[in-house]
Structure formats: structure tokens, C-alpha cells
Amino acid sequence: MKKTVLVGVTLAAAVMMSASAMAADEVVLQIGFENSISEPIGQALEKWQQLVEEKGDGSLKLELFPDSQLGSKNELIDGMTFGENYITLADGAFYADYGVKDFGIVFGPFLFDNWDQCWTLTKSDWYADQCAQLEEKGLKLVASNWKYGERHTLTTKPVEKVEDLAGMKIRVPGNQIQSIGFDVLGATSTGMALDEVYQALQTGTIDGAENPLATLYGRKLQEVAKYLILDGHVKNFTTWVMSADVFNSLTPEQQELLVSTGEEAGLYNNELVDASEEDYLQKMKDEGVTVTDPSEEVLAGFKEKAQAFYEQGDTFGWSDGLYDTVRAAMGAE
């Protein structure tokens, strides 16, 4: 084995060279996301950054870039497949578009009855298999225990029942799963980056948008859309994804640090999301938003329409019997 021998090097020079080598080995991962830093998820990312700094040896650092500063979610994920050192927030609907078709079902409308079913699913063999398939596509899931929130619908015209969505243009993230998920409810889905939604609502290009309350309020959409229905059409747990090649290039210690602190920050995030729901709702009401809290009968109408989504397995390229497989994996009766 070839060894490098330092001859005639002063102690000070050796220290400087060692420091330089350490600096060269430092890994900085850039976390790009669409949300505001003031949202619960932004605050939890600051917690993740802090945990990496406190629990690590300084060789791994996280830099945060909110408000789409690094580009759209799709642009970041595309970059990851070429080995860029990004981390971003994404969901099963996006992973379906990147080749793991069955993963998309987790973003189907009204799939989960409660949050416990989400966490049961993420710990199942089915979920582990989806993660392995995604890694084969070059994408590594770092954490899956972050609650993004229940997704509701904010519109420029009143929506009090599912029939009111007929013909309305509703912004969704740019993926097939979420587009068809809203189309089956009678709306016309419009894929669009989150930072374009405010102006699109303001100009009438779209009639509404859907997202958790924290994101709707964080983007100030209540200023240009004054009707909110608490339909909770998706219980949105989310994940943090990065290049599999970049993850594999980290030392085992760095990998463990990134994953363990990501999960710890996820628990902190979930507490913030739960605590903020009523606050965001009251703020929206105070700013003139009319809020509709639908009855079980009205929600049943939404769920009945949503069943058409799960009958389109061939369109999505799903495995046979996927809906029943996933319901069983999540512990649904």
C-alpha cells in the first residue's frame, strides 16, 4: 500500500494541511423546498440542521433554501438522478412519475382513514419494497415520518359539496396521480409550481388550489381566494429524498446521522403541524375566508366520487390488486 510521508514539515504546516484535508472532506447537502421558512416544515428543517450540527463531527452540514430558491421539485429530483447533492420534499405521486408506479397510490384521494394508518404503512414490508425500487431509480428516501398535513381546498367561488367542483380549475402539483385525483372529483386539475399559484388565482387563470392549511396560508393564498372547504382529501405524510449515489458516497457515520436526525426532526415537525392547525384556520377566518366544515354525509359524496380513482390501476401502471394490498398493509379493515 502506498503511503504518503511528510518530510521536513513543521507542526504548524502539518496542522494546516490536516485542516485543509478535513475541509475538503466536508459534505454540504442543499435542502431545496417550495415552502416558506415560517411554516412548520421550515421550522422543522431548521431543527434538522441544528441536530446535524450538534450531533455530528462537523463533516456533514445542511443548507436550507426555501421558496423554490433552487428550482422546482421536479427540477431538483431530475438533478438528483444525475448525482446532484440536493435533498427535497416529495411524495409517492412524484415517485410514480419517476418509475415506481405503485408508490403513487399513497397520494390517492381519501385512501387513509386516519394518521395511524399512514405510519403503519411506512413501516410495512410493502413500503420497504417501494423504497428499494426507488433506490434502483437513483433516489434514496432519507425520512418518511414527516406529516405535511391534511390537504384542503381553497377556492375563489364557494364549494360546499363535491358537485360544486364541476368545471373548476384547481391547481395541483405537477404529477399524474394528483391531477387525476382531482379530475375524478369533477374538477379540471392544473399542474403548476407552488410559487406561481398566487398570481394565477389573482388573474383568474385558476379557480382554486389545494394544500394543507400551513402551506395555503404560508403562500398568502387567502388574500386572493376566500372560500375554504375542509375536505381533507389527502392525509399527506411526506418524505425527504436525495440522490442514492450521493447518499452512498457518505461515510456510514454520516448516513446514520442524516437518517436519525431526519427522523427526530420529523417528530418535531409533526408536533408543530398539529399545534398550528387551529391557529392557521383562525387566521384565515380573521382575514375574511369563509370556511366550510363538511358533514359526514357531504364527505361521503367526495369519497364515493374518489373511488373512480382506484379503478384506474391500468392508467397508472399499478400491480394487480394494489388497492387491497395497500389497505391490508396499512391495517385498514
Side-chain angles (χ1 to χ4, degrees), residues 37-164:
I37 199 70
S38 65
E39 294 177 42
I41 210 157
Q43 296 173 51
L45 282 172
E46 290 179 320
K47 180 72 169 180
W48 191 2
Q49 185 181 48
Q50 175 188 341
L51 289 169
V52 167
E53 183 176 347
E54 291 176 349
K55 297 189 175 187
D57 60 5
S59 66
L60 181 68
K61 296 190 176 184
L62 303 180
E63 290 185 351
L64 308 183
F65 296 87
D67 300 314
S68 303
Q69 291 176 27
L70 293 182
S72 70
K73 190 175 304 188
N74 293 95
E75 289 170 336
L76 294 180
I77 296 176
D78 286 344
M80 291 173 201
T81 63
F82 291 101
E84 297 288 350
N85 69 331
Y86 302 135
I87 298 177
T88 198
L89 171 152
D91 313 288
F94 283 89
Y95 304 143
D97 284 353
Y98 282 85
V100 185
K101 299 296 185 181
D102 286 357
F103 221 147
I105 197 173
V106 303
F107 227 98
F110 301 99
L111 176 67
F112 298 108
D113 301 318
N114 53 62
W115 284 105
D116 286 343
Q117 290 179 350
C118 296
W119 310 134
T120 299
L121 185 66
T122 62
K123 296 171 185 174
S124 69
D125 290 341
W126 177 85
Y127 192 83
D129 179 62
Q130 299 304 299
C131 293
Q133 290 184 46
L134 190 64
E135 196 159 348
E136 291 176 1
K137 304 292 185 182
L139 299 171
K140 169 71 178 179
L141 291 192
V142 179
S144 296
N145 69 326
W146 289 55
K147 183 185 288 189
Y148 197 64
E150 285 194 281
R151 299 180 80 98
H152 304 298
T153 308
L154 184 69
T155 54
T156 56
K157 296 178 285 190
V159 174
E160 297 180 349
K161 55 188 184 301
V162 70
E163 289 80 7
D164 295 336

Side-chain angles (χ1 to χ4, degrees), residues 10-323:
T10 66
L11 177 61
V15 170
M16 290 178 64
M17 290 177 69
S18 176
S20 176
M22 288 178 63
D25 292 335
E26 180 182 282
V27 178
V28 179
L29 299 176
Q30 299 178 316
I31 302 184
F33 54 107
E34 296 177 315
N35 309 75
S36 164
I37 199 70
S38 65
E39 294 177 42
I41 210 157
Q43 296 173 51
L45 282 172
E46 290 179 320
K47 180 72 169 180
W48 191 2
Q49 185 181 48
Q50 175 188 341
L51 289 169
V52 167
E53 183 176 347
E54 291 176 349
K55 297 189 175 187
D57 60 5
S59 66
L60 181 68
K61 296 190 176 184
L62 303 180
E63 290 185 351
L64 308 183
F65 296 87
D67 300 314
S68 303
Q69 291 176 27
L70 293 182
S72 70
K73 190 175 304 188
N74 293 95
E75 289 170 336
L76 294 180
I77 296 176
D78 286 344
M80 291 173 201
T81 63
F82 291 101
E84 297 288 350
N85 69 331
Y86 302 135
I87 298 177
T88 198
L89 171 152
D91 313 288
F94 283 89
Y95 304 143
D97 284 353
Y98 282 85
V100 185
K101 299 296 185 181
D102 286 357
F103 221 147
I105 197 173
V106 303
F107 227 98
F110 301 99
L111 176 67
F112 298 108
D113 301 318
N114 53 62
W115 284 105
D116 286 343
Q117 290 179 350
C118 296
W119 310 134
T120 299
L121 185 66
T122 62
K123 296 171 185 174
S124 69
D125 290 341
W126 177 85
Y127 192 83
D129 179 62
Q130 299 304 299
C131 293
Q133 290 184 46
L134 190 64
E135 196 159 348
E136 291 176 1
K137 304 292 185 182
L139 299 171
K140 169 71 178 179
L141 291 192
V142 179
S144 296
N145 69 326
W146 289 55
K147 183 185 288 189
Y148 197 64
E150 285 194 281
R151 299 180 80 98
H152 304 298
T153 308
L154 184 69
T155 54
T156 56
K157 296 178 285 190
V159 174
E160 297 180 349
K161 55 188 184 301
V162 70
E163 289 80 7
D164 295 336
L165 287 172
M168 294 182 71
K169 295 178 181 177
I170 305 296
R171 178 269 174 185
V172 297
N175 60 72
Q176 183 189 41
I177 291 290
Q178 285 171 276
S179 293
I180 295 179
F182 246 85
D183 290 341
V184 298
L185 299 179
T188 300
S189 62
T190 303
M192 183 181 297
L194 191 58
D195 60 354
E196 299 173 7
V197 176
Y198 187 102
Q199 184 175 7
L201 285 169
Q202 194 174 42
T203 60
T205 303
I206 57 175
D207 303 305
E210 57 78 57
N211 243 300
L213 297 179
T215 304
L216 295 173
Y217 191 83
R219 306 303 303 190
K220 300 182 179 181
L221 302 186
Q222 76 283 352
E223 295 179 354
V224 288
K226 294 296 185 180
Y227 299 93
L228 174 70
I229 182 166
L230 301 174
D231 51 12
H233 50 275
V234 171
K235 284 183 169 55
N236 185 184
F237 75 90
T238 196
T239 65
W240 291 99
V241 64
M242 66 181 294
S243 162
D245 287 342
V246 172
F247 182 83
N248 291 332
S249 73
L250 302 177
T251 67
E253 294 77 16
Q254 289 170 331
Q255 292 176 354
E256 193 282 330
L257 175 68
L258 185 64
V259 170
S260 63
T261 55
E263 292 181 349
E264 184 176 347
L267 297 177
Y268 177 72
N269 168 79
N270 297 350
E271 293 176 359
L272 293 177
V273 169
D274 289 341
S276 69
E277 289 286 309
E278 285 301 319
D279 183 49
Y280 280 119
L281 190 58
Q282 188 58 53
K283 286 179 178 178
M284 294 181 87
K285 290 178 179 178
D286 291 344
E287 294 184 34
V289 174
T290 299
V291 177
T292 297
D293 191 357
S295 65
E296 286 300 318
E297 182 180 358
V298 169
L299 283 177
F302 277 86
K303 294 175 182 178
E304 183 178 352
K305 280 262 194 180
Q307 281 305 304
F309 174 86
Y310 299 103
E311 296 167 3
Q312 299 190 41
D314 290 343
T315 300
F316 301 127
W318 286 350
S319 302
D320 291 340
L322 180 63
Y323 178 76

